[in-house]
Amino acid sequence: MKKISYKKIIYSFIGITLIAIIVLIYLGRVDPVLKTTQTELHFGEKEARQLLTLKNIGEKKWRYLSYVKTLYYEVDITRGGEWISIPLRSGTCERHEEKQITVTVNRDMLSEGINQGEILVKSNGGNKTIRIVAIGIKEEKILRILNPSDNAALTIDEQITIQWSATPNISNYADIFLLKNGFVVENIARSYHYRNDTRSNGRFTWTPKSPLRPGEEKYAIKIVDISDREVFGLVSSLRIVSPLTKLFLKNITTAHQKPSTIQFVFSLRDQDDHAVLIDPANFDMNNLKIWENDKKIDYLESNPYLYRQDDFCLQVMLVLDFSASIKMYRNGVETMVVGANSLIDHLKDTHQIGIVEFHRPDAAPSIIQPFTTHKQKAREEILNFSQKNIYSDFSICWDAVYHGLKQFPEEPDPKTFRTLVFISDGFDNSSLRQPEDLISLANKRDVHIYSIGLGKVRKDEILENISGKTGGTYIRAEDIRVFLERFKQIIIDLGGQYKTSYITPKKPEDGIFTTKSEISYKGITGVPSLEDKVDPYHIFGKTNQGILSFDVSPLGDEENAEVFVWCEHVPRYINKFRFHLKTDKPYTITLVPENNGGICEEWNIIKEADGWYLLSSPNPNDLSYDLKFGRSGIICKINLEEIKEEQTEISFLLDNTVYHLGQAFYGREYPETDRNKIWQETIIISRQRKP
């Protein structure tokens, strides 16, 4: 009998099993199945990008010995290829895996109305057709000139950058013309290629030249799209002015204060007594020269600064005339409101606006809006009052101006410029107060009065005298048609306020010394120079001690308050502030842009676990990021909400332990800290309701 080979049996069994498994696996292969989660992508009127989701939903036959094949797919655009794009058009998808395909619509290529397209997803698991729908909106063609603005002054032989914006649906070429009385007097540029894409703004540098002449004639700049001459931008009422030939320093006041700070506040005016607005690009420290006892100071050590109006606080009281003399003009009240809103639009975040109105003698002038930094609230109050049905009669202009002057604090503030703007025809036979009273109170409270003489002014010299003796300007508006133009000149003149500041090394034992500063601009030295005799005994202080203060405008009926934290003096090597607020009111802390007077715009704010805030420079290890020695400006803004009380008190705590070289910060009135080097100040927010 033949012996049975167990090895052969085992090998045979294994072979048969493997064959069976291979057969089962082959039989268990499952084809993939394509599924799309969307059958239509609707982009509407605005969307430009959506995701199409693909999925392989093939299912196994058995738990172990089967599998789903890989899904291979390709995406084709079968309709709408001129406005539909798909960056990635092929790929793979395993069982239950999701893949997202980006579908983008070029809205600039859409036809007006409903645009329909299709994409086809082809795969080894079936095909799917996806409908694409987008609504094309016919965009208006707009070309808008950004600079210069209406009523701007163009100086002969001085470059100006003409800037404009244009919608994507117009060409990238334009013609630029200078017009007078609607006729072309100069082809500034022809077929100028101002952009290589459809989004960039246009810029062209132009220098007005002779034979253009200064005078009252008005010019316009017109920019025309060369592909559609009906599309253009226009700025009008442009004045050609002479180059700066004289520079006058006016309204000079001294504001020296501790610690060892020499300050002058003044206005800059040109030969026509209009404000000179210094362009920072054309001004550096070579334009400011300072001497002490006829010897130049060390500019590196004393760090002199020139502050423009945007760098410090401005309070504007606007006195609006709703008397019969304004209503007699067609659209007189409406035009006055437009002028008021234009002034408000030019104010910075830190600037405060207040509104007083008058309309008849037997009704006392009233406050429409107390001083506030809430500009929109002021606009609303002006609009609401202008729409009231009131009885208007004789003017009580002088009483209204006096009432406006009384709203300013009694004590001057070196970081605040105060001004009052009013309109009058120079005739007032109903007021108790007289022009002499206005001049006296304005000078006591350091308020500059700007006035517009409207219409047939009875006595120009009265209005000129009021403005001249208080450091403001007087401008004549012949009628309501030119009122806005004259009002804009007042707004420009308000911007011509400046302050110089530097730290003197003089000590009390040095005795009285003479300080002298000269300002020059565009090659013209201003007159007179800034001169004063200073006794250092009265202003000497430790320059490593910083000074903080708070600018809070009174609340009206609103429940939100803005508190600006000012640093009036910065010691050396300051790269952080650590502070805390004690209040149950919701609040946020934000940084103020540099063009609004902020000095920490690029710094970082971190709220720590214990409720303290750490405000630090971008790189505390780099001295170049430290605040400049002797600088002043706004550290941050505190926005408080839900204030319903008549008066709210908030405790502000500053941690001086973060400074290690003897620096510390205090208030000007209370220069002391507790044993933990914490300086605490109470911020009071009061409500001033309208009568």
Side-chain angles (χ1 to χ4, degrees), residues 306-324:
L306 176 74
Y307 298 97
R308 298 179 299 160
Q309 186 195 86
D310 294 348
D311 299 323
F312 52 103
C313 188
L314 173 69
Q315 282 184 313
V316 180
M317 179 57 69
L318 185 56
V319 179
L320 298 181
D321 183 352
F322 290 93
S323 68

Side-chain angles (χ1 to χ4, degrees), residues 449-664:
I449 298 179
Y450 293 75
S451 57
I452 303 175
L454 179 60
K456 297 180 179 179
V457 179
R458 310 296 177 88
K459 293 182 179 181
D460 278 294
E461 65 273 14
I462 293 178
L463 299 179
E464 286 182 310
N465 190 49
I466 292 173
S467 294
K469 289 189 174 180
T470 60
T473 55
Y474 167 64
I475 291 179
R476 176 80 177 274
E478 295 79 6
D479 55 48
I480 203 70
R481 290 173 297 176
V482 297
F483 169 76
L484 288 180
E485 180 183 330
R486 301 294 190 264
F487 205 107
K488 288 179 180 179
Q489 183 59 54
I490 289 286
I491 295 172
I492 292 172
D493 284 353
L494 286 176
Q497 320 305 327
Y498 299 90
K499 180 174 74 172
T500 60
S501 171
Y502 75 94
I503 304 299
T504 178
K506 298 294 186 184
K507 299 180 176 59
E509 55 266 29
D510 294 325
I512 296 174
F513 67 96
T514 300
T515 178
K516 177 183 175 181
S517 301
E518 280 187 355
I519 302 288
S520 61
Y521 187 57
K522 295 183 179 179
I524 308 297
T525 299
V527 293
S529 57
L530 304 170
E531 295 188 49
D532 194 26
K533 290 187 178 297
V534 181
D535 186 346
Y537 174 82
H538 298 296
I539 63 170
F540 179 76
K542 296 180 179 180
T543 57
N544 64 346
Q545 295 183 355
I547 297 173
L548 297 184
S549 63
F550 305 92
D551 186 32
V552 186
S553 59
L555 283 176
D557 298 326
E558 63 272 14
E559 295 184 355
N560 297 339
E562 295 179 336
V563 178
F564 292 92
V565 183
W566 282 80
C567 182
E568 296 187 31
H569 169 71
V570 176
R572 299 184 193 274
Y573 315 119
I574 297 299
N575 52 37
K576 59 174 69 79
F577 294 96
R578 187 171 185 265
F579 58 89
H580 180 76
L581 295 180
K582 287 185 177 180
T583 178
D584 58 354
K585 305 296 182 184
Y587 67 88
T588 56
I589 297 173
T590 57
L591 300 180
V592 176
E594 187 175 357
N595 61 7
N596 276 355
I599 58 176
C600 299
E601 179 180 5
E602 302 296 331
W603 284 33
N604 303 308
I605 301 179
I606 299 174
K607 186 174 183 181
E608 300 176 344
D610 54 2
W612 284 75
Y613 285 86
L614 181 65
L615 178 60
S616 61
S617 74
N619 185 355
N621 297 318
D622 187 341
L623 293 178
S624 66
Y625 288 102
D626 291 358
L627 294 181
K628 303 303 181 184
F629 172 60
R631 181 81 185 272
S632 66
I634 303 169
I635 298 173
C636 63
K637 179 171 71 170
I638 304 170
N639 298 273
L640 294 119
E641 303 175 3
E642 300 180 12
I643 300 177
K644 298 180 172 59
E645 301 82 359
E646 292 299 306
Q647 181 170 298
T648 301
E649 295 187 357
I650 300 164
S651 291
F652 179 92
L653 287 72
L654 186 104
D655 180 9
N656 281 304
T657 63
V658 298
Y659 309 116
H660 307 292
L661 300 175
Q663 312 102 311

Side-chain angles (χ1 to χ4, degrees), residues 319-323 327 333-334 336-337 355-360 363-369 377-392 690-691:
V319 179
L320 298 181
D321 183 352
F322 290 93
S323 68
K327 285 191 173 181
V333 169
E334 292 82 357
M336 180 177 63
V337 170
I355 314 291
V356 168
E357 68 77 29
F358 66 98
H359 55 278
R360 69 175 192 261
S366 65
I367 301 173
I368 294 179
Q369 175 62 57
K377 183 70 165 52
R379 293 187 192 92
E380 292 170 358
E381 294 297 337
I382 293 173
L383 179 62
N384 292 339
F385 189 88
S386 68
Q387 294 177 341
K388 286 184 178 180
N389 188 18
I390 60 173
Y391 181 83
S392 299
K690 295 182 294 182

Side-chain angles (χ1 to χ4, degrees), residues 15-31 60-69:
I16 294 171
T17 302
L18 289 174
I19 293 172
I21 291 173
I22 291 170
V23 171
L24 286 173
I25 290 175
Y26 179 80
L27 294 175
R29 289 189 305 171
V30 179
D31 289 333
K60 292 181 179 181
K61 290 182 178 180
W62 310 301
R63 185 173 183 180
Y64 299 109
L65 296 177
S66 68
Y67 72 95
V68 177
K69 297 178 183 178

Side-chain angles (χ1 to χ4, degrees), residues 317 356 365-367 398-407 441 691:
M317 179 57 69
V356 168
S366 65
I367 301 173
W398 310 140
D399 283 352
V401 172
Y402 194 86
H403 189 58
L405 291 170
K406 288 177 63 179
Q407 308 311 308
L441 183 58

Side-chain angles (χ1 to χ4, degrees), residues 66 97 115 130 153 163 171 214 274 281 305 341 371 393 435 453 458 501 556 643 658 683:
S66 68
E97 182 184 5
N115 294 258
I130 310 298
Q163 296 177 280
S171 74
H274 288 314
Y305 298 99
N341 286 333
F371 279 124
D393 208 336
R458 310 296 177 88
S501 171
I643 300 177
V658 298
I683 304 172

